Amino acid sequence: MEEIFSVGKRVPQIDAKEKATGQAVYTFDMKLPGMLVGKFLRSTLAHAIIKKIDTTQALKLKGVHAIITRDDTYKIRYGSNSYFFPFTDDQYPLATDKVRYIGEEVAAVAADSEEIASEAIKLIKVEYEELPAVFDPIEAMKPGASQIQSSRNNVAVMIPALAGDIEKGFKESDFITEVEFRLQSAAHVALEPHVALAKYEEGKITLWTSTQAPFRVRENLAKTLKMEQKDIRVIKPQVGGGFGGKLEMLPLDFCACLLAKKTNRPVKFCLTREEEFIYTRRKHPMIFKLKAGTSRDGKIKALAGEVIADGGAYCSYGPTVVAAAIMRIGIVYKLENVKIFGYRVYTNNPISGAIRGFGGVQSGFAYESLIDMLASGIGMDPAEFRLKNATDPNFTAFNGMEITSNGLKDCIRLACEKSDWGNLKQNKKTNLGIGIAIAADVMGSKMYKSHESAGTVIRVEEDGSVILFTGAADTGQGANTTMAQIAAQEMGIDISRIRVIAADTENTPFDTGSFASRVTFISGNATKRAAQDVRKQIDEIVAKHWNILQERIAHKKELIYDLENQFNQMSFQEAVKLCYSFEVGKMLIGKGVYNPPTKPVDLRTGKGNVSASYSFEAQIAIVEVDKETGKVKILKIIDAHDVGRAINPMAVEGQIEGSLIMGIGYSLFEDLKFKNGICPNPNLFNYRIPRSTDTVEIETILIETNDKEGPFGAKGMGESSLLPTAAAIANAIYDAIGVRITDLPILPQKILSALKK
Amino acid sequence: MILKNFNYYRPQTIKEAQELMNSLESPLILAGGTFVLTFFKKSNDFSKNIIGLKNIKELTAIKKEKEYISIGSMVTLDNLCRNDFIKKDFSFLMQVISEVATPQIRNMASIGGNICSGLPWADLAYLMLALDAELVFVDKKIKINEFLDLPKEKKVILKEIKISLNKITRYAFTRIPRLNNTDITQGAVCIIEAGDKVRISANLGNNFARIFKETQSNLNQMLKKDQEKDLINIFSKELNLVQKDEYLREIIVNCFKKSLRIYAKI
Amino acid sequence: MQKYNIEIKVNGKNYELEVNSNTLLVEVIRDQLLLNGTKNACNNGECGSCTVIMNAKSVLSCLILAADCNGAEITTIEGLSNDLNKLHPIQEAFVEKGAIQCGFCTPGMILSAKYLLDTNPDPSEEEIKIGMSGNLCRCTGYVKIIEAVKEASRKIKK
């Protein structure tokens, strides 16, 4: 390998200064001349047929420019899992036949001001025929329950995970445990709400939107607006956080575009914090009914059960969330006998969808609590039990997931070492406990489209400055910086030469979006290839100039030299000058595309390989429980993480810390409640998220396994850090006070009442 | 979240403010604004006439008198903590207040607003109760315990809060925030010994009652005689009258126990 | 509708403005003065993204009536430094320490840090946590923000 000067360095985000001075522009900040304000009329009923919508009075209001309802749309359904689950395209951009949850978008207004738009909303009359509503997923699955969509028993999809012979597995078990876990809903709480600003000019729509996936937004806009993709330009400005909540086209995107087209004026929708909490997407509440068995010597023999997810009124990313919730276990443990069914159930609650962890937070809590119960059932140390069953490198899981590099066992060992596991387990202090949980995650998931491509184009300008065009959507995680670091390393230049133009469907190559921890791995590979391409073009010209073979050319930072003749060297700047000289006259443009090698998932068995590599981690929590107040104080969390290779250790730590603290919030107090389809706490006063006073000491250990497929060996890791957190905490609480918590959040009252039992 | 339109009055003196209070139709006072404005943003129905007190200089003074320290009702929580008199004679107030709310809220919220808001989590209310503070209104003076028992009446402006200069010789304070740190108080117990009196005040969890209005002058003796159990019984009795939630009862009693333990150690 | 005239000084510049009774300070800053660094992510006093420094105190501009700001001196993030080549030490520390991810909370965070360091130049870790507790961040988990405030304190003392 040549000199490493960019990859592996703690580089501040390339746009951090703009953010620090308040200059960074988010869709939230954007204004256009003549801009109108968009607002929704939302359903007041949880389940009803829409008989009639009357906008006559509202249209008469001064300052109202247009109102759209179902009749202004093509009535085309869309969804986010169209490729593998085409039948889950179940949502209209504006409610068409029925409303299926309280708050569903029924009509949209464009007006001169927010006040006028709000007034107009009040003047729209909707006639409904109310239908029975069902809010509990188990009730919804019963025969005779009110039918929300056309699927039988309100089960949108059923996903299996099957392997071996489950009966045999239980027969061979010396200890069997059966337990039910219940997980609550939660909100993303990105600081920037969902905002969409659209304009219509010369037959083309331009939409600025706070999104994680501009190309996916364009795809569904084109479908529902019946337009060609070339006639829709979706631009992602700075985005104030996503966490999975900004992955899809939402009604505000569609309505901003349609209203802009209708009024010929720019239209902007900006959701309020309350709308943000309830009417975007939320975490799937899940029930895990699990049964597992182990042999006396600590080998997991059988795992069976079912997972029921309250999906709310529409599918969104739900089918794959449920798939992810039951499939990940195969890359964590070597399992032989498995029989799990996952059900994604429709209810009349708001829509559940993607959120950081993608089903893995819920399943992480359930499975990793269960594993601890198995270990304690046979009297084995939980870390040792995990080491006995953890997967190895080059292992194919029962469900066909193909692991290549795998640092899981090193993660467990190092986390134990750093936390003084053995000592703390041996010499127990009163009310102090230590707990471990482990996890594995994908980097990309080919479950949404026939391909999962990313593309990068790199232009070297005449003055030697570089413009990098990537489809990857930086939503704050620092993707632009990572792309620039990779390109700088590959091209042998300083990062300051590079400006990144990202996530603009008209000007940058395609990219499926920022989700599934895929950007560093997939877009990073595309960027590396583009940089390689442009570097080779320069090398060719320089080699010719020195009259040597191209293989002899090598790069250091800002320098090109001949491996065999020390007198042959020139700066990158000189090389660019040479390329653009009269004699050569070669314009420098490099391109790179990458589509990870994977295998499709067979929906009948759940077998397939969705990701080209996998990342691993072990987390250990040390907690103290106050038996008087029931309060859990986390003293420290150690996170050992196989990140392949840290392109930017500072950004990697930032992902781990942010993810982990989010995990602590979900473990201890975050709870988006719903009662009869109504959310009682849709604000930051009653839905608390962690504050600076809730942080804990975090020790991160980065384990570099140098993945052969990853760019410079890197793996994805943005989501995985919150997968084991809740279980690590719950297992530590069990260690401290002997109380097993099976439902989140772990509120003090739960501890107190469990202590009484 | 839009703030609807209203008539806003910005009096310069207490007299002017009181006149407005008397003449306007259903007037409402805006002090620090940290509660009232959030409430207005959510509510469709609020007073059309709002009187802001921010321009009244007289209300922002902290004065040391012979036997009292007098705190203007518009003094912010932060300014209260940074005041030299308070730092010297009431350092515990500083410690306690710095634990509640956030820096920005402490910079905005006024001590008068906190007491008069009637919010169940208002921390100044029970702190002042333990200090046996006196509230000075335009037309009357009353002890804070009497005020807290009165039905809320918004017609008169609170001018200042008077606290006796009796030296605080011992104190203990325990507070339980609702969900996470910096969240609102859902239970708290404050014990203060000043002069020959010991006062115990408490926030009994999301309701307005704050107990131990009587001085527990025998507290020190009881603690010496290991009569902690009796104290807890008295406390629990009062608590059970007003708090029906079993969990809150439990943690507030534990709060009391913890405060007693801290108090006994000092 | 009654109008209120106010004179305010923002980032050293004087402005005479006409506002309504229900105009909030954050609206004046963002919509009239076009200083977009100040955000109003929750609009209800919970998140701290609208934090500005008014008369030497950090305050929430979404809970302050503009009509009450007559004579006020206000610093927004743009007033610390708007020059990418010459950042304020706190801005510098936030950049260097990786305390910025999506950046939406950053202006409010930095102003809270400024108020903290103005009133307590050498805060302990616990004091930093309390000092920053009025500002929500969903990206960083606060670890690097706390480090940045420590670093800023060192930089300013130099």
Side-chain angles (χ1 to χ4, degrees):
Chain A
M1 178 151 315
E2 292 169 8
E3 182 203 18
I4 293 293
F5 56 87
S6 173
V7 158
K9 296 281 182 277
R10 302 177 73 85
V11 180
Q13 285 192 7
I14 52 177
D15 48 5
K17 288 182 178 178
E18 287 80 349
K19 291 172 180 171
T21 51
Q23 290 178 23
V25 180
Y26 302 78
T27 316
F28 189 80
D29 302 320
M30 293 182 68
K31 296 182 183 84
L32 290 176
M35 188 173 85
L36 303 174
V37 175
K39 224 161 174 49
F40 287 113
L41 169 73
R42 296 182 179 277
S43 156
T44 49
L45 296 174
H47 198 191
I49 295 167
I50 304 171
K51 305 283 272 187
K52 203 178 150 202
I53 307 172
D54 181 3
T55 58
T56 353
Q57 286 305 313
L59 276 167
K60 283 182 192 156
L61 193 68
K62 198 171 163 256
V64 172
H65 290 254
I67 298 175
I68 50 172
T69 67
R70 56 186 177 181
D71 295 330
D72 301 277
T73 74
Y74 287 107
K75 301 183 180 172
I76 296 169
R77 294 175 205 240
Y78 74 104
S80 291
N81 278 304
S82 314
Y83 185 73
F84 274 106
F85 309 93
F87 51 91
T88 66
D89 275 6
D90 57 9
Q91 191 176 5
Y92 296 101
L94 276 174
T96 297
D97 53 344
K98 298 202 283 188
V99 290
R100 293 177 172 84
Y101 70 97
I102 294 169
E104 183 166 357
E105 297 82 356
V106 175
V109 176
D112 283 332
S113 71
E114 202 178 335
E115 286 86 346
I116 297 169
S118 304
E119 276 311 304
I121 292 296
K122 288 183 202 153
L123 296 173
I124 302 173
K125 292 188 191 85
V126 188
E127 219 177 277
Y128 293 108
E129 181 189 323
E130 196 168 359
L131 298 167
V134 56
F135 302 104
D136 180 278
I138 292 175
E139 290 300 315
M141 286 168 84
K142 288 181 182 161
S146 184
Q147 284 296 291
I148 297 164
Q149 302 270 7
S150 56
S151 64
R152 238 180 84 202
N153 293 339
N154 288 317
V155 175
V157 292
M158 191 274 283
I159 300 194
L162 302 168
D165 180 344
I166 197 74
E167 299 302 328
K168 187 170 149 268
F170 280 116
K171 262 188 207 137
E172 287 170 8
S173 299
D174 297 309
F175 175 76
I176 293 170
T177 187
E178 228 180 316
V179 58
E180 182 177 311
F181 297 96
R182 280 179 180 257
L183 286 302
Q184 80 280 27
S185 188
H188 309 81
V189 199
L191 265 268
E192 184 191 22
H194 283 75
V195 195
L197 166 61
K199 73 169 183 183
Y200 181 72
E201 244 169 37
E202 299 175 346
K204 187 178 92 183
I205 282 173
T206 305
L207 174 74
W208 292 265
T209 180
S210 57
T211 181
Q212 295 172 244
F215 288 89
R216 299 224 73 196
V217 171
R218 183 184 68 170
E219 182 185 351
N220 273 332
L221 278 176
K223 181 177 179 178
T224 49
L225 289 166
K226 276 198 181 180
M227 287 173 73
E228 287 184 58
Q229 293 189 347
K230 71 170 167 49
D231 296 328
I232 300 171
R233 178 182 181 192
V234 178
I235 305 171
K236 175 213 73 80
Q238 294 279 8
V239 173
F243 315 111
K246 295 174 178 169
L247 268 178
E248 298 169 78
M249 178 192 95
L250 289 189
L252 77 151
D253 297 308
F254 174 88
C255 291
C257 292
L258 190 54
L259 282 166
K261 203 172 165 186
K262 231 183 153 172
T263 58
N264 241 324
R265 298 263 293 262
V267 177
K268 184 176 179 180
F269 280 77
C270 179
L271 297 192
T272 64
R273 189 49 57 183
E274 185 174 322
E275 288 180 303
E276 192 65 22
F277 266 107
I278 323 173
Y279 311 128
T280 56
R281 293 291 182 264
R282 58 174 192 142
K283 194 180 217 128
H284 284 74
M286 286 189 193
I287 301 165
F288 286 76
K289 295 178 182 172
L290 300 176
K291 184 180 172 189
T294 175
S295 66
R296 205 169 291 119
D297 60 352
K299 177 103 186 63
I300 302 168
K301 286 288 177 188
L303 174 64
E306 55 180 30
V307 180
I308 295 163
D310 170 4
Y314 297 98
C315 262
S316 171
Y317 272 95
T320 32
V321 168
V322 173
I326 63 172
M327 281 160 57
R328 278 193 187 94
I329 189 85
I331 37 175
V332 185
Y333 294 108
K334 291 179 190 161
L335 300 174
E336 283 161 12
N337 307 307
V338 182
K339 191 180 180 185
I340 299 174
F341 294 101
Y343 300 90
R344 211 281 186 175
V345 183
Y346 287 119
T347 63
N348 292 111
N349 288 318
I351 308 164
S352 305
I355 179 168
R356 198 179 202 174
F358 209 76
V361 178
Q362 297 96 316
S363 61
F365 175 69
Y367 288 139
E368 284 300 291
S369 299
L370 184 72
I371 293 291
D372 245 47
M373 293 168 83
L374 288 180
S376 95
I378 55 162
M380 189 177 276
D381 177 272
E384 194 192 330
F385 187 76
R386 285 178 171 84
L387 275 172
K388 272 194 189 264
N389 291 286
T391 53
D392 289 306
N394 305 313
F395 174 83
T396 300
F398 74 85
N399 49 14
M401 292 164 103
E402 293 167 17
I403 298 167
T404 52
S405 67
N406 181 346
L408 180 55
K409 286 182 175 170
D410 284 339
C411 290
I412 300 174
R413 285 190 203 103
L414 269 168
C416 285
E417 202 178 291
K418 294 276 177 184
S419 62
D420 204 11
W421 172 270
N423 185 24
L424 281 171
K425 272 282 186 192
Q426 295 285 315
N427 310 308
K428 255 193 64 61
K429 286 187 190 136
T430 326
N431 300 338
L432 196 87
I434 184 164
I436 186 170
I438 61 177
D441 205 5
V442 298
M443 46 206 71
S445 170
K446 210 179 283 177
M447 290 199 76
Y448 309 103
K449 301 179 78 67
S450 53
H451 67 108
E452 213 199 339
S453 304
T456 300
V457 169
I458 294 176
R459 276 181 13 202
V460 181
E461 305 299 289
E462 295 163 271
D463 64 354
S465 64
V466 175
I467 309 178
L468 188 159
F469 298 84
T470 171
D474 193 335
T475 57
Q477 78 278 39
N480 288 353
T481 311
T482 306
M483 295 310 125
Q485 275 180 276
I486 289 173
Q489 181 68 49
E490 194 61 36
M491 290 170 69
I493 57 170
D494 190 87
I495 196 169
S496 63
R497 285 189 182 272
I498 303 173
R499 175 169 286 278
V500 178
I501 308 290
D504 170 346
T505 62
E506 194 167 87
N507 290 330
T508 69
F510 177 90
D511 191 300
T512 40
S514 291
F515 58 88
S517 303
R518 66 179 285 285
V519 175
T520 298
F521 189 78
I522 295 174
S523 314
N525 264 325
T527 298
K528 189 163 184 269
R529 288 177 180 189
Q532 222 164 45
D533 183 18
V534 78
R535 193 193 69 194
K536 278 185 182 154
Q537 294 171 29
I538 298 171
D539 287 358
E540 192 187 339
I541 292 161
V542 175
K544 216 174 194 176
H545 179 73
W546 286 336
N547 204 12
I548 58 171
L549 283 174
Q550 200 175 326
E551 290 73 50
R552 278 170 53 182
I553 303 276
H555 292 253
K556 280 183 182 165
K557 189 176 180 182
E558 291 288 317
L559 190 78
I560 300 169
Y561 64 101
D562 179 352
L563 284 166
E564 291 169 25
N565 178 352
Q566 56 167 321
F567 297 106
N568 277 342
Q569 53 170 272
M570 68 168 83
S571 69
F572 177 79
Q573 190 73 33
E574 286 168 322
V576 173
K577 207 173 162 192
L578 176 70
C579 295
Y580 282 102
S581 67
F582 194 94
E583 293 74 21
V584 181
K586 170 88 168 66
M587 192 196 278
L588 297 168
I589 300 178
K591 84 164 204 298
V593 292
Y594 180 75
N595 181 29
T598 59
K599 290 183 183 143
V601 177
D602 181 337
L603 295 176
R604 288 160 307 178
T605 59
K607 281 194 173 63
N609 187 37
V610 295
S611 172
S613 186
Y614 298 91
S615 71
F616 301 88
E617 71 181 303
Q619 230 169 63
I620 287 181
I622 303 171
V623 308
E624 192 178 56
V625 185
D626 183 333
K627 281 187 174 172
E628 273 187 6
T629 58
K631 276 224 156 185
V632 176
K633 191 178 176 195
I634 299 167
L635 303 176
K636 189 174 180 179
I637 292 191
I638 295 103
D639 182 271
H641 217 118
D642 167 11
V643 297
R645 169 98 179 265
I647 301 283
N648 185 345
M650 191 157 81
V652 169
E653 285 163 19
Q655 286 301 304
I656 293 176
E657 289 154 4
S659 203
L660 230 161
I661 296 294
M662 197 182 249
I664 290 177
Y666 184 65
S667 308
L668 298 185
F669 45 81
E670 287 187 36
D671 184 1
L672 194 65
K673 298 173 184 168
F674 290 92
K675 206 180 171 196
N676 295 332
I678 293 169
C679 175
N681 60 337
N683 52 63
L684 290 161
F685 182 69
N686 288 316
Y687 182 97
R688 307 287 293 183
I689 68 167
R691 288 176 182 255
S692 53
T693 37
D694 297 306
T695 51
V696 302
E697 189 187 342
I698 296 171
E699 184 176 341
T700 53
I701 305 160
L702 304 185
I703 291 164
E704 302 199 319
T705 48
N706 275 311
D707 190 74
K708 67 173 177 14
E709 186 72 19
F712 296 100
K715 297 185 182 185
M717 45 72 57
E719 297 177 73
S720 40
S721 292
L722 79 164
L723 308 187
T725 310
I729 294 169
N731 292 341
I733 291 171
Y734 179 76
D735 186 51
I737 56 168
V739 159
R740 173 60 63 189
I741 301 290
T742 55
D743 59 332
L744 298 182
I746 309 172
L747 294 172
Q749 43 267 59
K750 280 186 194 164
I751 300 253
L752 289 182
S753 71
L755 275 170
K756 278 182 198 141
K757 275 174 198 159
Chain B
M1 205 103 61
I2 318 168
L3 199 53
K4 278 143 223 105
N5 198 34
F6 50 84
N7 301 316
Y8 191 51
Y9 300 89
R10 299 177 291 179
Q12 304 287 319
T13 63
I14 296 174
K15 193 166 164 268
E16 230 180 280
Q18 191 56 54
E19 279 165 14
L20 283 164
M21 285 294 276
N22 297 339
S23 61
L24 292 171
E25 194 196 324
S26 52
L28 203 77
I29 292 176
L30 185 73
T34 53
F35 169 68
V36 171
L37 285 182
T38 59
F39 174 75
F40 281 1
K41 284 183 181 187
K42 282 177 223 156
S43 160
N44 283 318
D45 180 33
F46 63 85
S47 172
K48 282 270 160 264
N49 292 315
I50 295 173
I51 304 169
L53 302 184
K54 283 193 182 164
N55 291 300
I56 307 178
K57 294 249 156 53
E58 318 159 60
L59 293 178
T60 57
I62 300 177
K63 289 173 288 191
K64 195 169 179 176
E65 286 159 21
K66 252 191 202 159
E67 288 170 14
Y68 292 99
I69 190 159
S70 137
I71 306 165
S73 60
M74 282 296 284
V75 170
T76 62
L77 301 190
D78 187 75
N79 279 343
L80 183 70
C81 291
R82 292 185 195 279
N83 181 274
D84 286 338
F85 301 142
I86 300 287
K87 269 190 199 166
K88 194 167 149 281
D89 298 329
F90 298 95
S91 61
F92 99 98
L93 261 183
M94 245 175 76
Q95 286 170 23
V96 172
I97 292 174
S98 70
E99 227 184 84
V100 302
T102 63
Q104 295 96 316
I105 297 287
R106 289 198 291 274
N107 281 338
M108 298 163 72
S110 67
I111 172 168
N114 194 284
I115 292 171
C116 294
S117 66
L119 294 172
W121 56 82
D123 290 282
L124 260 291
Y126 62 83
L127 287 176
M128 290 300 155
L129 202 54
L131 289 168
D132 198 30
E134 189 175 55
L135 307 184
V136 183
F137 289 88
V138 168
D139 60 343
K140 61 179 179 261
K141 284 184 199 174
I142 46 172
K143 284 280 183 190
I144 184 157
N145 56 335
E146 292 166 37
F147 172 76
L148 292 174
D149 286 343
L150 290 174
K152 287 289 153 285
E153 199 200 330
K154 300 211 170 80
K155 279 277 174 202
V156 195
I157 290 169
L158 174 65
K159 286 203 306 195
E160 57 189 14
I161 295 103
K162 284 187 167 181
I163 311 173
S164 153
L165 277 173
N166 274 339
K167 196 170 165 48
I168 293 169
T169 37
R170 273 213 246 187
Y171 73 88
F173 171 75
T174 313
R175 165 184 170 266
I176 298 182
R178 187 179 52 165
L179 281 173
N180 59 344
N181 299 319
T182 77
D183 199 353
I184 52 165
T185 303
Q186 69 173 357
V189 174
C190 181
I191 310 176
I192 288 178
E193 180 192 72
D196 56 350
K197 303 222 162 90
V198 181
R199 287 192 188 82
I200 304 173
S201 69
N203 176 333
L204 299 182
N206 291 7
N207 73 60
F208 301 110
R210 294 172 183 89
I211 56 166
F212 279 115
K213 287 156 212 148
E214 304 295 322
T215 310
Q216 303 294 311
S217 48
N218 57 346
L219 180 75
N220 295 345
Q221 282 169 343
M222 287 180 82
L223 282 173
K224 256 181 220 155
K225 286 187 208 150
D226 271 336
Q227 288 176 317
E228 203 197 89
K229 262 204 179 131
D230 300 335
L231 278 164
I232 292 166
N233 279 340
I234 304 170
F235 185 86
S236 302
K237 240 187 226 163
E238 288 213 34
L239 175 65
N240 293 350
L241 287 177
V242 293
Q243 183 52 260
K244 299 293 162 223
D245 184 298
E246 207 173 308
Y247 164 71
L248 285 177
R249 284 211 291 231
E250 188 173 345
I251 58 159
I252 292 163
V253 167
N254 284 334
C255 228
F256 180 60
K257 286 184 196 164
K258 204 170 166 191
S259 281
L260 279 180
R261 278 202 302 271
I262 298 169
Y263 183 82
K265 267 188 211 157
I266 300 165
Chain C
M1 197 184 292
Q2 200 182 338
K3 299 282 179 186
Y4 301 78
N5 293 311
I6 55 166
E7 280 179 39
I8 54 172
K9 193 174 192 175
V10 180
N11 301 333
K13 258 181 151 172
N14 291 307
Y15 298 91
E16 280 178 40
L17 302 168
E18 195 184 70
V19 298
N20 297 327
S21 64
N22 59 351
T23 308
L24 296 164
L25 177 58
V26 67
E27 292 164 352
V28 168
I29 293 169
R30 285 180 62 86
D31 302 338
Q32 296 194 36
L33 308 184
L34 303 178
L35 296 167
N36 276 331
T38 308
K39 312 294 183 198
N40 42 346
C42 80
N43 232 343
N44 209 29
E46 287 294 331
C47 75
S49 68
C50 68
T51 301
V52 298
I53 294 181
M54 181 160 120
N55 303 329
K57 297 277 186 188
S58 63
V59 294
L60 301 170
S61 59
C62 81
L63 289 186
I64 290 180
L65 297 180
D68 271 338
C69 295
N70 195 27
E73 244 181 77
I74 291 159
T75 306
T76 70
I77 189 67
E78 291 86 352
L80 251 63
S81 169
N82 206 14
D83 180 351
L84 297 182
N85 297 314
K86 214 177 161 224
L87 299 183
H88 184 279
I90 303 175
Q91 292 170 320
E92 226 172 63
F94 268 67
V95 169
E96 288 164 4
K97 287 288 166 187
I100 300 172
Q101 286 191 26
C102 86
F104 208 75
C105 74
T106 305
M109 271 299 169
I110 288 177
L111 289 169
S112 277
K114 173 147 198 324
Y115 175 70
L116 172 68
L117 296 175
D118 283 350
T119 50
N120 180 3
D122 195 12
S124 66
E125 176 152 338
E126 201 47 42
E127 286 169 333
I128 294 175
K129 284 185 181 177
I130 293 172
M132 305 303 286
S133 65
N135 295 71
L136 292 177
C137 167
R138 194 61 154 170
C139 297
T140 64
Y142 307 97
V143 179
K144 298 214 172 332
I145 290 174
I146 294 164
E147 274 175 37
V149 178
K150 280 186 204 162
E151 175 68 14
S153 154
R154 278 192 289 270
K155 277 176 188 275
I156 291 169
K157 273 187 287 177
K158 262 185 203 161

